[in-house]
Amino acid sequence: MKIETWNEEETREFGRKLGKEALPGQVYTLIGDLGVGKTVFTQGFAKGLEIDEPISSPTFTIVQIYEDGRMPFYHFDVYRIGDSSEMDEIGYEDCVYGEGVCLIEWANLIEDILPETYDEIKIEKNPEKGYDYRLITIEKREK
Ligand code: ADP
Ligand code: MG
């Protein structure tokens, strides 16, 4: 599925819609260059999970856990991970195979330990369509 957004609010709203539909145990990967709107999307996603806390970037902690929504939300940013084995130490398996929802930024760096199935969300710019244009693609992945 592909959708186009033309401003930050539309991306946030689309995130909210997906967060609202998310089921326990689902894993999403989130891919896109710096400044493309990953955080904006994630803020909406968290809102859809009924999380009231503000979403901050987990870059330095690898994972941020939010437990005040309708199910646990595990927000990963694995940009600073050396290799997949480091993920053991932060309880990755418990999150991915748990009862909450995972959203993993930079998931391509830990591809070897992603679950059998997950939903890949890709956000891209297209300069020809303007500065605020984004193309969001969602694809079900099976390993
Ligand atoms: P990332 O987390 O991917 O590095 P951010 O979400 O922090 O990116 O920032 C995205 C920036 O792009 C924000 O400044 C936002 O206002 C801007 N922006 C412009 N158009 C859009 C759009 N259609 N969707 C999302 N963000 C947009
Ligand atoms: Mg970000």
Side-chain angles (χ1 to χ4, degrees), residues 85-115:
S85 66
E86 282 177 41
M87 295 297 281
D88 292 347
E89 292 161 33
I90 57 164
Y92 171 74
E93 299 249 312
D94 294 338
C95 298
V96 165
Y97 300 104
E99 288 299 296
V101 179
C102 288
L103 188 146
I104 310 170
E105 299 190 34
W106 292 97
N108 51 305
L109 299 177
I110 57 158
E111 210 165 328
D112 53 323
I113 57 165
L114 289 176

Tab-separated table of all heavy atoms in Angstrom, residues 85-115:
chain	number	residue	atom	x	y	z
A	85	SER	N	24.010	-9.030	18.111
A	85	SER	CA	24.134	-9.680	19.422
A	85	SER	C	23.906	-8.692	20.570
A	85	SER	O	23.462	-9.068	21.652
A	85	SER	CB	25.500	-10.349	19.555
A	85	SER	OG	26.502	-9.363	19.555
A	86	GLU	N	24.180	-7.421	20.323
A	86	GLU	CA	23.950	-6.403	21.358
A	86	GLU	C	22.481	-6.260	21.711
A	86	GLU	O	22.124	-5.728	22.762
A	86	GLU	CB	24.461	-5.041	20.882
A	86	GLU	CG	25.960	-4.890	20.967
A	86	GLU	CD	26.402	-3.541	20.417
A	86	GLU	OE1	25.738	-2.528	20.686
A	86	GLU	OE2	27.415	-3.511	19.693
A	87	MET	N	21.627	-6.706	20.812
A	87	MET	CA	20.189	-6.575	21.032
A	87	MET	C	19.706	-7.491	22.160
A	87	MET	O	18.712	-7.194	22.815
A	87	MET	CB	19.423	-6.874	19.741
A	87	MET	CG	19.686	-5.878	18.629
A	87	MET	SD	19.160	-4.196	19.029
A	87	MET	CE	17.409	-4.318	18.735
A	88	ASP	N	20.416	-8.595	22.384
A	88	ASP	CA	20.072	-9.516	23.484
A	88	ASP	C	20.040	-8.774	24.808
A	88	ASP	O	19.138	-8.948	25.615
A	88	ASP	CB	21.131	-10.623	23.613
A	88	ASP	CG	21.098	-11.550	22.419
A	88	ASP	OD1	20.116	-11.483	21.659
A	88	ASP	OD2	22.062	-12.335	22.263
A	89	GLU	N	21.061	-7.937	24.999
A	89	GLU	CA	21.252	-7.260	26.280
A	89	GLU	C	20.119	-6.305	26.633
A	89	GLU	O	19.897	-6.019	27.793
A	89	GLU	CB	22.572	-6.468	26.259
A	89	GLU	CG	23.788	-7.369	26.226
A	89	GLU	CD	25.023	-6.620	25.737
A	89	GLU	OE1	25.140	-5.408	26.013
A	89	GLU	OE2	25.860	-7.272	25.074
A	90	ILE	N	19.429	-5.808	25.630
A	90	ILE	CA	18.368	-4.846	25.922
A	90	ILE	C	16.978	-5.493	25.894
A	90	ILE	O	15.972	-4.805	25.891
A	90	ILE	CB	18.420	-3.630	24.976
A	90	ILE	CG1	18.335	-4.085	23.515
A	90	ILE	CG2	19.690	-2.826	25.201
A	90	ILE	CD1	17.992	-2.945	22.584
A	91	GLY	N	16.957	-6.826	25.861
A	91	GLY	CA	15.675	-7.531	25.950
A	91	GLY	C	14.862	-7.519	24.673
A	91	GLY	O	13.632	-7.585	24.681
A	92	TYR	N	15.555	-7.462	23.559
A	92	TYR	CA	14.902	-7.399	22.246
A	92	TYR	C	13.875	-8.518	22.035
A	92	TYR	O	12.747	-8.263	21.619
A	92	TYR	CB	15.984	-7.451	21.165
A	92	TYR	CG	15.471	-7.605	19.760
A	92	TYR	CD1	14.858	-6.548	19.096
A	92	TYR	CD2	15.607	-8.818	19.076
A	92	TYR	CE1	14.394	-6.688	17.795
A	92	TYR	CE2	15.151	-8.963	17.782
A	92	TYR	CZ	14.539	-7.905	17.146
A	92	TYR	OH	14.081	-8.049	15.862
A	93	GLU	N	14.294	-9.749	22.343
A	93	GLU	CA	13.393	-10.892	22.095
A	93	GLU	C	12.092	-10.777	22.879
A	93	GLU	O	11.024	-11.086	22.361
A	93	GLU	CB	14.086	-12.208	22.469
A	93	GLU	CG	15.333	-12.465	21.667
A	93	GLU	CD	15.171	-13.635	20.706
A	93	GLU	OE1	14.677	-14.685	21.157
A	93	GLU	OE2	15.526	-13.487	19.523
A	94	ASP	N	12.210	-10.329	24.125
A	94	ASP	CA	11.012	-10.190	24.958
A	94	ASP	C	10.047	-9.177	24.349
A	94	ASP	O	8.832	-9.322	24.436
A	94	ASP	CB	11.379	-9.751	26.377
A	94	ASP	CG	12.163	-10.824	27.114
A	94	ASP	OD1	12.058	-12.000	26.724
A	94	ASP	OD2	12.874	-10.474	28.072
A	95	CYS	N	10.603	-8.147	23.744
A	95	CYS	CA	9.764	-7.126	23.117
A	95	CYS	C	9.116	-7.670	21.848
A	95	CYS	O	7.902	-7.577	21.663
A	95	CYS	CB	10.586	-5.886	22.758
A	95	CYS	SG	11.324	-5.060	24.172
A	96	VAL	N	9.939	-8.236	20.983
A	96	VAL	CA	9.457	-8.674	19.670
A	96	VAL	C	8.462	-9.828	19.770
A	96	VAL	O	7.521	-9.915	18.993
A	96	VAL	CB	10.648	-9.031	18.756
A	96	VAL	CG1	10.202	-9.813	17.542
A	96	VAL	CG2	11.336	-7.745	18.315
A	97	TYR	N	8.687	-10.705	20.724
A	97	TYR	CA	7.797	-11.852	20.863
A	97	TYR	C	6.848	-11.672	22.046
A	97	TYR	O	6.308	-12.622	22.573
A	97	TYR	CB	8.598	-13.154	20.951
A	97	TYR	CG	9.432	-13.364	19.703
A	97	TYR	CD1	10.814	-13.130	19.715
A	97	TYR	CD2	8.831	-13.727	18.507
A	97	TYR	CE1	11.573	-13.283	18.555
A	97	TYR	CE2	9.579	-13.875	17.345
A	97	TYR	CZ	10.950	-13.654	17.381
A	97	TYR	OH	11.694	-13.779	16.227
A	98	GLY	N	6.649	-10.411	22.452
A	98	GLY	CA	5.763	-10.114	23.571
A	98	GLY	C	4.372	-9.690	23.123
A	98	GLY	O	3.996	-9.847	21.966
A	99	GLU	N	3.661	-9.090	24.052
A	99	GLU	CA	2.252	-8.749	23.817
A	99	GLU	C	2.056	-7.312	23.345
A	99	GLU	O	0.923	-6.850	23.232
A	99	GLU	CB	1.452	-8.974	25.114
A	99	GLU	CG	1.265	-10.435	25.461
A	99	GLU	CD	0.488	-11.189	24.379
A	99	GLU	OE1	-0.684	-10.870	24.167
A	99	GLU	OE2	1.081	-12.063	23.734
A	100	GLY	N	3.144	-6.628	23.111
A	100	GLY	CA	3.023	-5.237	22.692
A	100	GLY	C	3.277	-5.066	21.204
A	100	GLY	O	3.301	-6.022	20.438
A	101	VAL	N	3.477	-3.812	20.807
A	101	VAL	CA	3.797	-3.478	19.417
A	101	VAL	C	5.218	-2.947	19.374
A	101	VAL	O	5.610	-2.142	20.221
A	101	VAL	CB	2.863	-2.369	18.890
A	101	VAL	CG1	3.209	-2.010	17.463
A	101	VAL	CG2	1.427	-2.805	18.978
A	102	CYS	N	5.987	-3.398	18.380
A	102	CYS	CA	7.348	-2.890	18.192
A	102	CYS	C	7.410	-2.035	16.939
A	102	CYS	O	6.817	-2.383	15.917
A	102	CYS	CB	8.332	-4.031	17.966
A	102	CYS	SG	8.665	-5.002	19.414
A	103	LEU	N	8.156	-0.944	17.034
A	103	LEU	CA	8.457	-0.154	15.857
A	103	LEU	C	9.971	0.050	15.859
A	103	LEU	O	10.530	0.533	16.845
A	103	LEU	CB	7.698	1.174	15.911
A	103	LEU	CG	7.765	2.028	14.651
A	103	LEU	CD1	6.464	2.774	14.457
A	103	LEU	CD2	8.917	2.994	14.735
A	104	ILE	N	10.619	-0.390	14.808
A	104	ILE	CA	12.089	-0.418	14.786
A	104	ILE	C	12.640	0.476	13.679
A	104	ILE	O	12.467	0.190	12.489
A	104	ILE	CB	12.604	-1.862	14.583
A	104	ILE	CG1	11.938	-2.826	15.571
A	104	ILE	CG2	14.128	-1.901	14.718
A	104	ILE	CD1	12.212	-4.298	15.274
A	105	GLU	N	13.283	1.567	14.095
A	105	GLU	CA	13.951	2.438	13.119
A	105	GLU	C	15.331	1.867	12.787
A	105	GLU	O	15.993	1.325	13.640
A	105	GLU	CB	14.082	3.861	13.683
A	105	GLU	CG	12.727	4.481	13.975
A	105	GLU	CD	12.802	5.966	14.307
A	105	GLU	OE1	13.671	6.661	13.731
A	105	GLU	OE2	12.001	6.422	15.134
A	106	TRP	N	15.744	1.998	11.558
A	106	TRP	CA	17.020	1.469	11.051
A	106	TRP	C	17.089	-0.056	11.145
A	106	TRP	O	18.157	-0.637	11.374
A	106	TRP	CB	18.217	2.082	11.793
A	106	TRP	CG	18.369	3.536	11.491
A	106	TRP	CD1	17.908	4.571	12.256
A	106	TRP	CD2	18.976	4.130	10.340
A	106	TRP	NE1	18.193	5.771	11.639
A	106	TRP	CE2	18.854	5.532	10.476
A	106	TRP	CE3	19.615	3.612	9.215
A	106	TRP	CZ2	19.350	6.417	9.514
A	106	TRP	CZ3	20.105	4.493	8.275
A	106	TRP	CH2	19.968	5.878	8.433
A	107	ALA	N	15.953	-0.715	10.965
A	107	ALA	CA	15.859	-2.168	11.145
A	107	ALA	C	16.745	-2.943	10.174
A	107	ALA	O	17.077	-4.100	10.430
A	107	ALA	CB	14.403	-2.610	10.985
A	108	ASN	N	17.147	-2.296	9.081
A	108	ASN	CA	18.022	-2.988	8.133
A	108	ASN	C	19.345	-3.420	8.780
A	108	ASN	O	19.975	-4.374	8.336
A	108	ASN	CB	18.295	-2.103	6.908
A	108	ASN	CG	18.772	-0.721	7.283
A	108	ASN	OD1	18.117	-0.010	8.035
A	108	ASN	ND2	19.937	-0.353	6.795
A	109	LEU	N	19.735	-2.734	9.869
A	109	LEU	CA	20.990	-3.073	10.552
A	109	LEU	C	20.885	-4.359	11.379
A	109	LEU	O	21.899	-4.923	11.781
A	109	LEU	CB	21.439	-1.919	11.465
A	109	LEU	CG	21.718	-0.586	10.760
A	109	LEU	CD1	22.071	0.487	11.783
A	109	LEU	CD2	22.869	-0.755	9.762
A	110	ILE	N	19.671	-4.794	11.638
A	110	ILE	CA	19.494	-6.028	12.433
A	110	ILE	C	18.613	-7.026	11.680
A	110	ILE	O	17.866	-7.787	12.263
A	110	ILE	CB	18.888	-5.737	13.831
A	110	ILE	CG1	17.537	-4.999	13.716
A	110	ILE	CG2	19.861	-4.945	14.697
A	110	ILE	CD1	16.667	-5.155	14.956
A	111	GLU	N	18.752	-6.975	10.370
A	111	GLU	CA	17.888	-7.789	9.516
A	111	GLU	C	17.901	-9.267	9.889
A	111	GLU	O	16.878	-9.948	9.822
A	111	GLU	CB	18.313	-7.619	8.060
A	111	GLU	CG	17.147	-7.785	7.120
A	111	GLU	CD	17.430	-7.278	5.720
A	111	GLU	OE1	18.207	-6.298	5.597
A	111	GLU	OE2	16.884	-7.867	4.785
A	112	ASP	N	19.070	-9.751	10.307
A	112	ASP	CA	19.192	-11.188	10.616
A	112	ASP	C	18.379	-11.621	11.831
A	112	ASP	O	18.117	-12.811	11.999
A	112	ASP	CB	20.677	-11.576	10.791
A	112	ASP	CG	21.391	-10.679	11.803
A	112	ASP	OD1	21.095	-9.467	11.853
A	112	ASP	OD2	22.249	-11.184	12.531
A	113	ILE	N	17.965	-10.676	12.664
A	113	ILE	CA	17.183	-11.077	13.842
A	113	ILE	C	15.751	-10.519	13.825
A	113	ILE	O	15.058	-10.536	14.834
A	113	ILE	CB	17.882	-10.719	15.175
A	113	ILE	CG1	18.176	-9.212	15.248
A	113	ILE	CG2	19.162	-11.526	15.364
A	113	ILE	CD1	18.534	-8.731	16.647
A	114	LEU	N	15.323	-10.048	12.682
A	114	LEU	CA	13.917	-9.622	12.575
A	114	LEU	C	13.031	-10.870	12.590
A	114	LEU	O	13.469	-11.944	12.202
A	114	LEU	CB	13.698	-8.821	11.287
A	114	LEU	CG	14.323	-7.423	11.247
A	114	LEU	CD1	14.105	-6.775	9.886
A	114	LEU	CD2	13.776	-6.536	12.361
A	115	PRO	N	11.780	-10.720	13.043
A	115	PRO	CA	10.897	-11.893	13.087
A	115	PRO	C	10.503	-12.362	11.682
A	115	PRO	O	10.772	-11.680	10.697
A	115	PRO	CB	9.682	-11.391	13.859
A	115	PRO	CG	9.697	-9.917	13.700
A	115	PRO	CD	11.131	-9.519	13.567
